[in-house]
Amino acid sequence: MTLETYFDYFILPILTISIILVFIRLLKGPHVVDRVVALDLIITIGIGIITVFTIRSNQKVLLDVAIILALIAFLGTIAFSYYIEKRNDE
């Protein structure tokens, strides 16, 4: 079995199923914290999909996109947690 076969038949379907399940959590999340964590996880899974596509297509430029997306997701999570903490203090 080659690496491409693993990507096509195992890794990408697992990432797809996980992004669907996390999207359901994003919609159903009873609290804002659940939605923030789900949104962060969706971005992280998206970075995984970009990485798999980068390895598959041998285009190293897409790794820069994944790094930038990871930084934006991190800053967004920090901003949301700061907002939630300030909202709970009031």
Side-chain angles (χ1 to χ4, degrees), residues 42-60:
I42 285 174
I43 293 172
T44 305
I45 295 169
I47 291 169
I49 291 172
I50 290 171
T51 305
V52 167
F53 184 73
T54 300
I55 295 170
R56 253 333 240 138
S57 65
N58 201 15
Q59 294 179 351
K60 295 180 180 20

Side-chain angles (χ1 to χ4, degrees), residues 66-87:
I67 290 170
I68 292 170
L69 192 59
L71 289 172
I72 291 171
F74 174 72
L75 291 175
T77 304
I78 296 297
F80 273 128
S81 63
Y82 180 77
Y83 166 73
I84 291 170
E85 184 178 329
K86 286 297 181 184
R87 190 179 70 168

